[in-house]
Amino acid sequence: MEADNSMVGSVDEEMREIMRLLEGAESTRELPRLLLGVGKEDLALIGDLIQMYCMADALCRGLIAMLQEHRLGTTSDSAYSLNDTDVLLHTKKEARETALNIDKAGIISAVETFEMHRMFRHTFSHWVVKRYSDGKHLVALSRSAPDAKKRDGIALEGGNAKLMVFRIDLLMTELAKIKGHCKFLSQLHAYLEAAPANYE
């Protein structure tokens, strides 16, 4: 099992110890004792993280389209055909280039938060998630070599698993940040849609 020690917040001794124990337990009967099934609260948190990132993506695409329309003077569907990784780049670009009197710094801050949290959507959508036995952490595991390599560029070998450890309380804090930025972008959408001729 290969450990990825990039996680929410600082890597502390507690998380390093969890990874050490999981790595050592992979080839023993100890692993099922350390990794438990997820409960309804865990599934709700995972679903919330995935859905809020999907909401962020949709809001960014809509914002790109509105800002492009104002800048170019014509409507375009290009925002809706961008791949996921380009949506955030184009949102920042349009925010920087717009002549509209809107909160450009707020848009860029929101996008930078979404960029830092793309791993939540990818990890929780594609990796198996378990609750660690202490009840305070979630552990995501993947035996997919392509998915694991996307995470940190390091290939898996010999059927090993890659793991990520997340403190549940920190995930909830980060979820609140994403929700706050999505609310801001929703309000910006409403503002631009309601006053298309008067917001310069």
Side-chain angles (χ1 to χ4, degrees):
M1 186 175 293
E2 296 181 16
D4 177 358
N5 61 1
S6 302
M7 44 195 102
V8 180
S10 300
V11 179
D12 58 19
E13 191 56 41
E14 181 182 48
M15 290 207 177
R16 284 195 292 270
E17 178 65 11
I18 289 171
M19 289 190 293
R20 187 188 67 75
L21 289 170
L22 291 172
E23 288 172 340
E26 185 179 22
S27 60
T28 72
R29 295 182 181 178
E30 193 71 4
L31 197 59
R33 188 185 68 77
L34 295 175
L35 296 179
L36 312 174
V38 290
K40 288 182 180 179
E41 299 86 0
D42 302 322
L43 292 173
L45 175 59
I46 291 166
D48 219 354
L49 284 162
I50 293 170
Q51 274 302 296
M52 288 313 298
Y53 191 87
C54 292
M55 177 64 73
D57 179 85
L59 288 166
C60 285
R61 288 176 191 274
L63 186 59
I64 291 168
M66 285 189 282
L67 294 178
Q68 281 180 342
E69 182 176 1
H70 183 273
R71 182 170 58 83
L72 302 174
T74 182
T75 59
S76 170
D77 288 337
S78 64
Y80 306 108
S81 60
L82 293 169
N83 66 47
D84 292 352
T85 55
D86 289 337
V87 170
L88 300 179
L89 295 173
H90 280 266
T91 306
K92 284 199 290 190
K93 174 183 175 288
E94 291 297 333
R96 289 187 181 111
E97 293 182 3
T98 189
L100 298 174
N101 183 21
I102 57 175
D103 186 356
K104 298 177 185 184
I107 295 169
I108 292 168
S109 175
V111 170
E112 288 174 349
T113 298
F114 299 150
E115 284 174 334
M116 288 188 298
H117 295 83
R118 283 190 78 245
M119 74 169 177
F120 293 149
R121 197 237 9 118
H122 180 268
T123 302
F124 293 131
S125 296
H126 298 280
W127 294 32
V128 173
V129 180
K130 299 285 189 179
R131 181 179 273 251
Y132 188 65
S133 57
D134 67 359
K136 298 188 297 183
H137 296 83
L138 294 179
V139 178
L141 304 104
S142 178
R143 291 188 186 275
S144 164
D147 277 349
K149 191 167 184 178
K150 282 180 190 175
R151 178 66 193 96
D152 59 10
I154 301 171
L156 285 176
E157 296 180 0
N160 287 335
K162 184 159 289 185
L163 67 91
M164 295 179 67
V165 180
F166 299 92
R167 265 185 38 198
I168 294 170
D169 61 337
L170 292 179
L171 284 175
M172 294 175 75
T173 298
E174 298 307 309
L175 176 60
K177 291 179 188 176
I178 297 171
K179 286 183 175 180
H181 286 301
C182 283
K183 182 178 179 181
F184 162 70
L185 292 184
S186 294
Q187 291 168 341
L188 183 57
H189 269 245
Y191 174 71
L192 294 176
E193 289 168 355
N198 301 307
Y199 44 68
E200 284 192 285

